[in-house]
Amino acid sequence: MIKITLPDGSIREFASGVTPMEVAKSISEGFARNVISASFNGTTIETETPLTTDGSLILYTWNDAEGKKAFWHSTSHVMAQALEELYPGIKLTLGPAIANGFYYDVDFEDQKIVEADFKKIEDRVLEISREKHEFKMRPVSKADALEMYKDNVYKTELISNLEDGTITFCDHATFTDLCRGGHIPNTGIIKAFKIMSVAGAYWRGDEKNKQLTRVYGTSFPKQKDLTEYLELLEEAKRRDHRKLGKELELFAFSQKVGQGLPLWLPKGAALRDRLEQFLKKAQKKAGYEQVVTPHIGQKELYVTSGHYAKYGADSFQPINTPAEGEEFLLKPMNCPHHCEIYNVRPWSYKDLPKRYAEFGTVYRYEQSGELHGLTRVRGFTQDDAHIFCTPEQLDEEFKKVIDLVLYVFGSLGFENFTAQISLRDQENREKYIGSDENWEKAENAIINAAADKGLNTVVEYGEAAFYGPKLDFMVKDALGRQWQLGTIQVDYNLPERFELTYKGADNELHRPVMIHRAPFGSMERFIAILLEHTAGNFPLWLMPEQAIILSLSEKYEIYAKKVLDLLENHEIRALIDNRSETIGKKIRDAEMQKIPFMLIVGEEEEKNGTISIRRHGQEGKGNITVSIDEFVAIVDEEIKKTLKVFTV
Ligand SMILES: [Zn+2]
Ligand SMILES: [Zn+2]
């Protein structure tokens, strides 16, 4: 008998040779029907692999990331089979699962795969799938494996790097592939399949090698899931921040200025400014002090901080001056500057914590291929702050930072998030800087603060930086995509490197602890995510324009101007559309710009001192006619719903 430990901690006994699928059936037949993959003692196995030792078994369904991985990887085998049938003589290379599907890199030699062929391939994949072929692993000798692939230089290269005795093939139907394993039980559960695209890809990612064709596909256990996925992709395209940024005139890029260097247009700059003022106001209440530091610093500064070693070679190179040997760097981080601000004078424990905040612009060289809209840029502004405190204050400071982050998320409509706590690898404590005692203090401070604030947390051991543990907020957007926003990081390294001190109650000098934190992360990335999350319909308090006054004809221009003045007195951001266009056209254009309130003024409104309100995106709901004061109250009410007052 062997003892199998299940994820809930329960231990069950089985005869040696039991398979994961049999274990699943012993739990329940219904559950077993959904099991598509398994892992044993941390290694991915097949659902039919006999288990012969004690160990921990995890059974995966489609709802688990591991289950999807097996599902997609298995589909790549079926697609490879279909491709081989339809394009005889092609050479298969590698076909892994990726996020949302899989790919297979293929050398088509003198043949070519074009979009018009996709349907034919898809039909064949589904036909094979319906035949319900089992995936079966078998060991092969290195010699036999090399013989099988003697005409395929790619597989030959892969096999050459493997140890004899560790090589396995996977068979299904009439198809065989070199494979380590990790499959679904049979092809029958693949009910929907689609080729997403084809692209060029160099063998092993090296441009010196031959260019292959990467065929991207995805598959699902239900047709409905595929349909939903394709709709989601369409919606993501509509919400792409690069597209919306252009339509809403928020930002632009210029090849002349340089790649990855966003230009903020007036509306985008106003939006950024509003976000900055919002955070500054809350930070002021939370006891932060604003500082300003230059965009460059002496190279030595970053040698001291260690950033030169980290970013130096792969980033912007030092700026020389007419003076011999003088070198400056564009700053990749604000922290060293803030350390030097702390060092301007001596501190006593009674002065701490010091909290220095700066919307600091930093520059990092990203490969041009890595650049993407506002999410990957070469120059960006962090909503940075550094807190210098005593180890005893860490607990309290952490809680305060979490409060601030939650306030930011709440005001901007991010409701769905988890907090990832990254701690030390318990086995390798020597690779971290700082004393065991301090680490324990910091790790407990994070865990306690997160629990105290009722955060939904995931703990990752071994994910901490060498200089301290951290807490990252992972936010789910309206399309269910996950983004990392808001980091709080403890640091024992920079206080050492910059020899930061404070005088303790014992009259001795001590090292303060440093906390790096940025609720937005960077203004650029945050605005990109916010654009995609809201599709450009920001919370009302943040909208570049909250209302647009549409006059029915030139006759009402004076009244329109009067309405505008009244709104401006109440700090409502509004503008007038007095083009000689039809009202229908004016409404369509305002809808395009996503302006929340369209205020229509004509004869009736002028006579009664009212406005007729139409809301963005509520076509056919009918307008309501209100006085200016009533409208101001509507706006105030709505803003109060999202933008709460920050309290400490
Ligand atoms: Zn495989
Ligand atoms: Zn920092």
Side-chain angles (χ1 to χ4, degrees), residues 302-334:
Y302 303 103
V303 172
T304 302
S305 72
H307 291 118
Y308 185 71
K310 189 173 171 213
Y311 294 105
D314 300 326
S315 198
F316 291 108
Q317 293 307 293
I319 304 162
N320 294 302
T321 72
E324 184 80 23
E326 197 176 44
E327 287 184 309
F328 290 87
L329 281 184
L330 283 170
K331 70 175 170 189
M333 300 284 246
N334 302 302

Side-chain angles (χ1 to χ4, degrees), residues 46 73-74 76-77 95 135 137 170 177-183:
E46 308 293 301
H73 166 71
S74 302
S76 87
H77 282 292
F135 291 97
M137 298 293 294
C170 174
D177 206 344
L178 172 71
C179 184
R180 265 194 306 245
H183 304 98

Side-chain angles (χ1 to χ4, degrees), residues 603-623:
E603 191 179 348
E604 275 297 298
E605 287 80 11
E606 181 169 24
K607 196 173 77 195
N608 303 324
T610 58
I611 47 181
S612 177
I613 314 176
R614 178 189 161 109
R615 287 265 3 205
H616 166 71
Q618 298 199 346
E619 196 186 346
K621 277 252 171 99
N623 301 346

Side-chain angles (χ1 to χ4, degrees), residues 391-392 394 424 429 433-445 492:
E392 293 71 35
L394 206 52
R424 271 181 308 181
R429 294 189 168 193
I433 185 170
S435 72
D436 241 8
E437 191 199 341
N438 277 341
W439 266 86
E440 231 138 73
K441 232 178 235 166
E443 293 188 333
N444 286 331
Y492 292 111

Side-chain angles (χ1 to χ4, degrees), residues 466-477:
F466 77 93
Y467 53 82
K470 63 175 177 170
L471 187 149
D472 291 313
F473 286 87
M474 314 297 283
V475 174
K476 255 199 186 150
D477 74 7

